[in-house]
């Protein structure tokens, strides 16, 4: 198994939706990991910089045409690009990933894209609709999440990837959900 986690970014992607996952892959609570289990890589339509909703530009590691066949997970990051024609080029990539048994994640508009393409017809899932109240769902190696559930999305993917022990992943989740002082009241300042 390859060690790369591939993040699919389309133009006007939602940068905040990949922060918790990419951070936990690359670092622990103290510093960057010396020997991380996985490596974060960006895939975009071309090798040209791709711009986030907030205006940040990222230089992709791979284009749709140059991405590797072997990788650990395919993570579709939400944003406005999923409602444009370029998104159609992602469907065969997702289909191949699912057929190969890869871990696949989709958040926000990317989850809606997965639903529209029929990839979620036979798995429990969530999304941005009012009827979909669960923040993140993992089923059959596919993780979906609503836009605001970036931390829950990361937790489910980290568990599937076995990035760390379940206890350490839960600690990471609680630390980011509740904060240091809530978890360690002995350090609160009076």
């Amino acid at each position: 198994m390859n060690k790369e986690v591939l993040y699919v970014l389309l133009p006007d992607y939602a940068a905040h939706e990949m922060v918790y996952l990419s951070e936990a892959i690359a670092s622990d609570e103290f510093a960057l990991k010396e020997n991380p289990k996985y490596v974060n890589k960006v895939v975009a339509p071309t090798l040209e910089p791709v711009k986030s909703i907030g205006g940040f530009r990222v230089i992709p590691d791979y284009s749709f045409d140059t991405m590797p066949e072997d990788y650990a997970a395919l993570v579709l990051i939400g944003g406005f690009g999923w409602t444009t024609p370029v998104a159609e080029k992602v469907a065969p990539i997702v289909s191949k990933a699912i057929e190969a048994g890869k871990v696949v994640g989709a958040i926000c508009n990317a989850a809606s894209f997965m639903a529209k393409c029929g990839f979620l017809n036979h798995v429990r899932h969530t999304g941005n609709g009012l009827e979909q109240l669960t923040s993140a769902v993992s089923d059959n190696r596919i993780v979906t999440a609503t836009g605001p559930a970036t931390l829950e999305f990361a937790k489910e993917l980290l568990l599937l990837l076995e990035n760390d022990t379940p206890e350490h992943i839960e600690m990471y989740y609680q630390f980011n959900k509740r904060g240091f002082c809530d978890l360690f009241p002995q350090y609160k300042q009076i």
Side-chain angles (χ1 to χ4, degrees), residues 10-132:
L10 298 183
D12 299 316
Y13 69 94
H16 70 282
E17 293 176 354
M18 61 191 219
V19 171
Y20 289 117
L21 178 61
S22 61
E23 179 184 279
I25 297 270
S27 65
D28 58 26
E29 62 272 16
F30 303 107
L32 289 174
K33 293 177 183 173
E34 277 189 45
N35 297 302
K37 186 171 184 178
Y38 299 103
V39 177
N40 297 311
K41 297 289 183 172
V42 171
V43 177
T46 69
L47 291 174
E48 293 297 313
V50 60
K51 184 182 71 64
S52 73
I53 293 168
F56 292 102
R57 296 183 186 279
V58 171
I59 299 171
D61 297 289
Y62 305 112
S63 71
F64 293 162
D65 295 328
T66 65
M67 66 179 280
E69 294 279 329
D70 190 22
Y71 51 87
L74 185 70
V75 182
L76 284 57
I77 300 300
F80 301 134
W82 294 101
T83 60
T84 67
V86 74
E88 295 169 18
K89 296 178 180 180
V90 181
I93 295 169
V94 172
S95 182
K96 220 172 172 178
I98 292 171
E99 287 172 17
K102 304 284 187 197
V103 170
V104 176
I107 186 168
C108 195
N109 284 346
S112 298
F113 167 81
M114 294 264 297
K116 177 182 158 197
C117 291
F119 295 122
L120 304 179
N121 288 351
H122 303 290
V123 295
R124 291 182 318 109
H125 62 278
T126 190
N128 284 339
L130 290 175
E131 69 285 353
Q132 299 163 321

